[in-house]
């Protein structure tokens, strides 16, 4: 009790007075003055103790690199405290094995996420955890940040072994909590000058509190200092404070907190953006109270925003989507399972070049989560390169729920800092699954093609043909046999002409709502009854199902479901399903590598109804010969190609291609799109831009000749590069291998662009004749 700590009438700075001052303080100077006075008046009883009872504690506390991410760990601890409160109130009943189960069973949070709650319900639950940011020292590198929860609280005697511990096992066996390693929240000490920790257990009269700071040690004796906290008579300070002044739960108040990287009010460089991206699918909603930017908003996570959740302050009617796939689960065998869902945002306006930036890091839009928290972000290269969806790389966001992985798989994949995943077997396996899923979705292919056509620049076909001939001529001079350069035959690569019309992929018809009934009356596999469903070995297909049943008839990750799939015949397995929503769902089937061509079987779906006959439907499937892989020919063909200028970082194509902001390190790139090699080049690459300006100032008539000749040289190089890469590029490249290869290609293209500028400038100056005269 507070009375056990000595009080002296002649001393003005009591523990109660100190606590009241610290609660109201907003600057480090306020804290330092109060602590100094308290130490002076209680010098005999006051001392500083190392955090975690470890003298050498600087390493584990400094382990986090990002102060923003450290705050997320504090919020995770706060949510755990709320769940711990409910566990104690309910006597641990029902038993819950995950934080999401606990939030659903004890607090009524929908299992499908916060988007299924009303706006008012989210606001009410957000009162359990609040993060507040105030001016502090008046600069972004020294804010005051409070994290306050209405959780179970901590008794004063347990403060050193819980919130001030390092690597303790307080949550090790508590599956209903997110924390495990017992050190994540302590990383906020490294970003603060002082940290006030105060807690009241339930409604007890005493509040336990202390202050944490970094203390330098003699450099001739120690390599680093360490983090210490204030004690009085060998215990954390205690004060008898009325409940109305400090309710149950815990306050962690950071003074001088470094938020240099998060100075914006909204968007990627803001705490609001960080919290929604990192708490991608939070267990509980959280209040963000920014006194710096004068707003108060609910943090619900980017996933729930993408699913249509709107709160006060959100703009418009939520994100507009071109396509989405609801969560479905993929079995990874001995490693457990993952859930996958994704969204495709509508085509951006000219002003909004990176629409995905409102929800994720646009360069890493594939999010892996545990308990809804972002643990790893995979590169957009997996979308643009591996999945062959270059025009969707700034619009597509993919979420991978890793809660279904077995414990050893999680341990091998994720680190204790939650700031990234370990590369290895599990990581590579998940990457490959993501690629297969995205490649298997016909709607993604259609949207990518639609975006390609909308972004393609109309070109004069005579000029295209003339450029093709000139490229072929130069290649022949280099000893490359590209066949007849007099006609269109050399230009196809597939036996057709350059201008062979392609049948446009029709848009998907609008979705018609299905009237749901109880009990349901039908279930149907959407495939023509008279046709067998073809699979070639290793092919994956998504089979659509329709029914008039309510969603409770199938949950994708439920242990048991009224809806089940039965495969008769060898070589085909069910890989996963989506949940039933609005009468629609999808089932994922995959043929084994050893499936025998000509063999087949039956896919059957069954839906049980209590006291009524089971609803069924079935379709036959058959294994077919894989599509032929075109063999390489002794005579190389010049594929269809076009050259596309990109007018600087403001051009939507720049961000769509994932190009860096630095115009000095990027000259061009090339993508194979539907059999056409598209060469994109930067019109602001310094060597090209300065040469073009020189021609404009000298002789405007030569500008067009210079540009065309520059484009020809880029096309020649791109063809040779494409030829070499298509024969040497290894299969199943990792994200790191792709990134390294792209960096090398980027450097090589800058070198070639510099040479192309020299060649094109010389040719334009010394030859006034048109290109056709040089055949």
């Amino acid at each position: 009790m507070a009375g056990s700590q000595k009080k002296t009438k002649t001393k003005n700075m009591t523990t109660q007075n100190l606590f009241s001052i610290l609660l109201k303080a907003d600057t480090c100077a306020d804290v330092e003055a109060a602590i100094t006075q308290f130490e002076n008046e209680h010098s005999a009883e006051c001392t500083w103790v190392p955090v975690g009872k470890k003298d050498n504690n600087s390493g584990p506390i400094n382990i986090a690199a990002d102060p923003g991410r450290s705050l997320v760990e504090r919020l995770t601890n706060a949510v755990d405290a709320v769940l711990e409160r409910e566990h104690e109130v309910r006597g641990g009943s029902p038993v819950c094995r995950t934080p999401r189960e606990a939030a659903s069973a004890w607090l009524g949070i929908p299992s499908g996420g916060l988007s299924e709650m009303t706006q008012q319900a989210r606001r009410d639950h957000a009162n359990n955890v609040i993060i507040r940011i105030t001016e502090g020292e008046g600069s972004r590198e020294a804010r005051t940040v409070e994290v306050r929860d209405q959780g179970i609280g901590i008794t004063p005697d347990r403060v050193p072994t819980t919130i001030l511990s390092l690597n303790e096992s307080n949550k090790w066996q508590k599956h209903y909590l997110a924390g495990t390693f017992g050190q994540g929240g302590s990383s906020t000490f490294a970003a603060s000058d002082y940290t006030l920790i105060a807690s009241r257990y339930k409604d007890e009269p005493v509040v336990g509190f202390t202050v944490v700071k970094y203390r330098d040690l003699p450099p001739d004796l120690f390599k680093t200092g360490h983090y210490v906290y204030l004690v009085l008579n060998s215990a954390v300070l205690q004060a008898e404070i009325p409940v109305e002044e400090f309710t149950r739960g815990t306050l962690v108040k950071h003074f001088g907190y470094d938020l240099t990287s998060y100075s914006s009010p909204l968007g990627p460089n803001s705490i609001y953006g960080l919290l929604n991206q990192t708490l991608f699918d939070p267990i509980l909603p959280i209040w963000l109270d920014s006194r710096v930017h004068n707003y108060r908003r609910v943090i619900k996570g980017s996933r729930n925003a993408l699913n249509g959740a709107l709160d006060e302050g959100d703009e418009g009617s939520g994100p507009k989507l071109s396509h989405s796939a609801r969560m479905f689960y993929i079995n990874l065998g001995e490693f457990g399972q993952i859930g996958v869902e994704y969204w495709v945002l509508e085509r951006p306006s000219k002003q909004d070049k990176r629409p995905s930036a409102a929800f994720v890091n646009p360069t890493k839009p594939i999010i892996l989560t545990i308990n809804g928290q972002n643990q790893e972000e995979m590169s957009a290269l997996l979308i643009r390169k591996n999945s062959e969806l270059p025009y969707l790389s700034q619009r597509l966001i993919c979420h991978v729920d890793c809660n279904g992985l077995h414990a050893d798989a999680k341990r091998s994949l994720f680190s204790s800092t939650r700031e990234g995943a370990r590369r290895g077997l599990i990581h590579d396996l998940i990457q490959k699954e993501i690629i297969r899923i995205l490649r298997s979705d016909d709607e993604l292919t259609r949207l990518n093609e639609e975006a390609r056509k909308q972004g393609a620049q109309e070109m004069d076909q005579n000029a295209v043909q003339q450029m093709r001939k000139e490229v072929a001529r130069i290649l022949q001079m280099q000893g490359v046999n590209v066949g007849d350069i007099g006609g269109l035959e050399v230009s196809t690569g597939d036996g057709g002409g350059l201008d062979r019309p392609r049948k446009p992929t029709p848009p998907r018809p609008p979705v018609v709502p299905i009237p749901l009934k109880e009990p349901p009356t039908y279930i149907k596999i959407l495939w023509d009854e008279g046709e067998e469903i073809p699979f070639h070995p290793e092919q994956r297909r998504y089979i659509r199902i329709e029914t008039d049943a309510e969603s409770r008839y199938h949950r994708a990750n439920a242990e048991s479901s009224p809806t089940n799939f039965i495969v008769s015949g060898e070589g085909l397995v069910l890989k996963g399903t989506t949940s039933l929503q609005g009468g629609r769902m999808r089932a994922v089937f995959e043929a084994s590598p050893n499936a025998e061509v000509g063999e087949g079987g039956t896919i059957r779906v069954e839906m049980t109804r209590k006291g009524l006959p089971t609803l069924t439907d079935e379709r036959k499937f058959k294994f077919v010969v894989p599509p032929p892989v075109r063999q390489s020919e002794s005579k190389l063909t010049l594929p269809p190609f076009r050259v596309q200028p990109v007018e600087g970082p403001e051009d939507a194509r720049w961000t769509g291609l994932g190009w860096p902001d630095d115009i000095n390190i990027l000259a061009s790139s090339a993508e194979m799109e539907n059999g056409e090699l598209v060469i994109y080049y930067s019109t602001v690459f310094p060597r090209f831009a300065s040469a073009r300006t020189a021609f404009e100032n000298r002789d405007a008539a030569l500008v067009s000749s210079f540009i065309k000749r520059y484009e020809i040289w880029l096309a020649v190089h791109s063809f040779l590069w494409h030829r070499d890469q298509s024969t040497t590029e290894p299969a199943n490249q990792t994200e790191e291998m792709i990134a390294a290869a792209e960096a090398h290609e980027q450097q090589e293209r800058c070198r070639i662009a510099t040479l192309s500028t020299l060649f094109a400038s010389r040719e334009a100056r010394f030859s006034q004749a048109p290109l056709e005269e040089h055949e």
Side-chain angles (χ1 to χ4, degrees):
M1 298 293 289
S4 65
Q5 295 190 344
K6 298 178 181 179
K7 297 180 182 178
T8 305
K9 291 183 179 180
T10 58
K11 296 178 180 179
N12 296 318
M13 185 61 78
T14 64
T15 54
Q16 280 84 355
N17 291 342
L18 177 62
F19 183 67
S20 296
I21 292 171
L22 295 177
L23 272 185
K24 298 174 183 178
D26 195 43
T27 67
C28 294
D30 297 337
V31 177
E32 187 169 356
I35 292 295
T36 299
Q37 183 179 349
F38 186 83
E39 285 188 279
N40 290 337
E41 294 186 9
H42 300 268
S43 57
E45 303 98 341
C46 245
T47 189
W48 295 86
V49 177
V51 172
K53 301 178 183 178
K54 292 179 172 64
D55 287 322
N56 186 16
N57 58 24
S58 182
I61 291 176
N62 290 334
I63 192 170
D66 183 353
R69 287 269 186 166
S70 297
L71 285 177
V72 172
E73 293 301 323
R74 279 287 176 213
L75 291 169
T76 299
N77 291 344
V79 171
D80 279 352
V82 175
L83 296 178
E84 193 76 273
R85 178 196 76 197
E86 293 300 312
H87 180 271
E88 183 170 281
V89 168
R90 301 167 191 277
S93 179
V95 174
C96 296
R97 298 288 296 178
T98 68
R100 199 168 298 280
E101 281 184 21
S104 178
W106 303 337
L107 290 166
I109 305 295
S111 58
L114 306 183
S115 61
E116 297 181 5
M117 301 171 70
T118 65
Q119 183 181 124
Q120 186 58 51
R122 283 193 294 271
R123 292 168 63 89
D124 291 343
H125 280 285
N127 288 323
N128 281 301
V129 178
I130 299 172
I131 176 171
R132 179 174 292 112
I133 304 172
T134 58
E135 287 286 350
E137 306 296 322
S139 63
R140 60 188 181 182
E141 64 270 16
R143 300 296 187 196
T144 298
V145 183
E146 302 176 30
V147 175
R148 180 69 161 98
D149 69 62
Q150 299 294 321
I152 190 170
I154 309 169
T155 58
D157 61 298
R158 295 188 67 244
V159 167
T161 58
T162 53
I163 198 168
L164 287 174
S165 67
L166 294 174
N167 303 115
E168 295 289 344
S169 56
N170 298 294
K171 303 179 182 180
W172 195 23
Q173 295 179 296
K174 297 180 178 180
H175 295 281
Y176 56 90
L177 301 180
T180 300
F181 300 101
Q183 72 174 56
S186 64
S187 60
T188 59
F189 299 149
S192 310
D193 292 329
Y194 294 97
T195 304
L196 166 67
I197 295 176
S199 190
R200 184 194 296 273
Y201 178 67
K202 293 184 177 179
D203 293 325
E204 292 195 359
V206 172
V207 174
F209 72 99
T210 187
V211 173
V212 178
K213 70 174 184 178
Y214 181 78
R215 170 185 276 176
D216 285 314
L217 295 173
D220 55 329
L221 298 176
F222 301 95
K223 293 181 178 180
T224 67
H226 60 175
Y227 294 88
V228 294
Y229 65 94
L230 183 65
V231 296
L232 185 66
N233 296 322
S234 302
V236 298
L237 284 64
Q238 301 175 34
E240 292 186 3
I241 306 295
V243 172
E244 56 270 18
E245 292 183 19
F246 190 88
T247 58
R248 68 179 178 186
T250 300
L251 167 70
V252 183
K253 187 174 182 180
H254 311 86
F255 299 90
Y257 201 85
D258 186 358
L259 290 179
T260 302
S261 300
Y262 302 99
S263 57
S264 301
L266 299 171
N269 298 321
S270 69
I271 287 295
Y272 179 78
L274 168 77
L275 295 183
N276 278 304
Q277 289 181 20
T278 309
L279 297 172
F280 190 77
D281 185 23
I283 302 299
L284 297 178
I286 293 167
W287 273 117
L288 169 60
D289 183 2
S290 176
R291 305 289 174 87
V292 175
H293 299 296
N294 298 314
Y295 68 72
R296 194 169 189 256
R297 290 190 171 203
V298 170
I299 301 299
K300 55 182 172 291
S302 290
R303 176 183 184 262
N304 295 290
L306 287 164
N307 283 337
L310 286 173
D311 287 293
E312 185 177 347
D314 292 342
E315 296 180 1
S317 56
K320 294 181 179 180
L321 303 177
S322 295
H323 177 52
S324 65
R326 296 189 300 274
M327 181 76 74
F328 59 96
Y329 290 85
I330 299 295
N331 194 309
L332 299 184
E334 62 182 299
F335 303 115
Q337 66 175 10
I338 56 172
V340 180
E341 60 186 339
Y342 50 88
W343 305 262
V344 180
L345 298 163
E346 283 193 352
R347 278 180 57 82
S349 63
K350 291 183 178 180
Q351 294 75 27
D352 184 16
K353 298 184 296 179
R354 296 187 174 186
S356 62
F359 307 96
V360 295
N361 178 346
T363 65
K364 295 182 177 182
I366 301 171
I367 311 301
L368 277 61
T369 65
I370 292 285
N371 296 320
Q373 184 172 332
N374 183 334
Q375 306 279 335
E376 166 72 343
E377 300 169 338
M378 291 183 175
S379 171
L381 289 172
L382 297 181
I383 297 171
R384 184 162 59 87
K385 282 275 189 181
N386 298 62
S387 302
E388 299 177 355
L389 299 169
Y391 291 95
L392 300 184
S393 63
Q394 298 297 312
R395 296 167 55 193
L396 194 153
I397 298 169
C398 182
H399 172 216
V400 182
D401 180 359
C402 296
N403 285 296
L405 291 174
H406 294 160
D408 54 348
K410 291 179 185 175
R411 186 170 57 252
S412 67
L413 181 61
F414 298 118
S415 68
S416 62
T417 63
R418 290 192 263 254
E419 289 192 5
R422 299 185 182 98
R423 304 303 186 262
L425 176 62
I426 310 297
H427 191 273
D428 291 348
L429 186 60
I430 291 174
Q431 277 193 358
K432 291 174 183 177
E433 283 295 336
I434 293 169
I435 293 165
R436 296 188 69 176
I437 288 166
L438 299 182
R439 280 183 168 180
S440 300
D441 191 330
D442 293 337
E443 182 64 5
L444 292 180
T445 302
R446 186 191 73 78
L447 288 170
N448 187 72
E449 173 64 8
E450 179 183 82
R452 184 191 72 82
K453 289 179 178 179
Q454 289 177 350
Q457 180 179 9
E458 292 295 331
M459 298 180 67
D460 178 79
Q461 291 304 312
N462 290 330
V464 171
Q465 180 61 8
Q466 187 58 48
M467 178 180 285
R468 296 178 60 76
K469 290 181 179 180
E470 185 68 11
V471 169
R473 184 183 67 82
I474 294 174
L475 288 170
Q476 282 187 327
M477 292 171 61
Q478 301 298 316
V480 179
N481 183 4
V482 294
D484 176 18
I485 65 171
L488 296 177
E489 288 76 10
V490 306
S491 305
T492 64
D494 60 359
L498 171 66
D499 299 319
R500 171 190 256 181
R502 291 187 177 130
K503 183 179 179 181
T505 305
R508 182 173 292 182
V511 177
V512 178
I514 298 174
L516 305 184
K517 297 180 181 179
E518 181 55 41
T521 62
Y522 77 92
I523 190 166
K524 182 179 181 181
I525 298 174
L526 296 185
W527 197 275
D528 289 344
E529 292 188 31
E531 294 185 9
E532 294 174 319
I533 303 175
F535 287 89
H536 60 73
E538 295 190 276
Q539 183 182 12
R540 179 177 290 180
R541 276 194 182 277
Y542 293 74
I543 307 299
R544 290 184 293 146
I545 312 295
E546 283 191 359
T547 175
D548 58 357
E550 296 176 353
S551 60
R552 64 186 179 85
Y553 277 83
H554 186 66
R555 285 286 184 184
N557 203 26
E559 292 184 2
S560 62
S561 171
T563 302
N564 293 285
F565 292 87
I566 301 167
V567 177
S568 64
E570 299 293 328
L572 190 71
V573 295
L574 175 70
K575 294 293 290 183
T577 70
T578 65
S579 293
L580 178 63
Q581 186 172 344
R584 294 180 170 88
M585 61 180 291
R586 294 194 300 171
V588 187
F589 293 92
E590 183 175 290
S592 73
N594 301 321
E596 291 192 24
V597 174
E599 298 295 320
T602 302
I603 296 173
R604 180 181 176 88
V605 60
E606 297 182 350
M607 178 180 286
T608 58
R609 302 176 297 171
K610 190 174 182 179
L612 292 171
T614 299
L615 298 176
T616 66
D617 194 22
E618 64 181 35
R619 294 290 183 275
K620 292 182 178 180
F621 69 89
K622 187 175 182 178
F623 298 121
V624 298
V625 177
V629 177
R630 187 176 60 195
Q631 299 298 317
S632 60
E633 305 171 5
S634 58
K635 181 173 70 176
L636 298 174
T637 58
L638 182 61
F641 72 88
R642 61 184 168 91
V643 181
Q644 175 70 62
V646 181
E647 307 291 342
E650 298 306 313
D651 190 325
R653 295 187 187 91
W654 189 287
T655 51
L657 291 165
W659 286 2
D661 292 334
D662 187 350
I663 64 172
N664 297 289
I665 62 173
L666 196 291
S668 70
S669 69
E671 306 279 354
M672 202 69 186
E673 300 171 3
N674 291 338
E676 181 182 45
L677 185 64
V678 184
I679 300 102
Y680 298 95
Y681 73 92
S682 166
T683 62
V684 294
F685 181 63
R687 295 302 295 268
F688 168 79
S690 61
R692 183 178 62 176
T693 301
F695 276 111
E696 289 172 343
N697 294 334
R698 179 181 174 183
D699 188 346
L702 295 180
V703 174
S704 178
S705 177
F706 164 71
I707 292 174
K708 287 302 177 187
R709 293 173 189 278
Y710 179 78
E711 292 177 345
I712 286 168
W713 283 108
L714 290 184
V716 168
H717 171 261
S718 292
F719 171 73
L720 293 173
W721 183 276
H722 171 71
R723 181 197 64 177
D724 294 342
Q725 293 301 108
S726 62
T727 57
T728 61
E729 191 171 82
N732 299 323
Q733 294 187 91
T734 65
E735 179 183 335
E736 288 74 19
M737 292 170 63
I738 295 170
E742 283 215 338
H744 171 66
E745 180 180 350
Q746 187 172 301
Q747 293 173 355
E748 177 66 8
R749 286 185 176 277
C750 286
R751 185 181 72 84
I752 292 299
T754 300
L755 293 175
S756 297
T757 301
L758 295 174
F759 296 157
S761 297
R762 184 179 60 187
E763 291 173 351
R765 284 197 305 269
F766 295 108
S767 179
Q768 301 293 321
L771 291 176
E772 57 266 22
E773 295 183 16
H774 295 278
E775 294 183 20

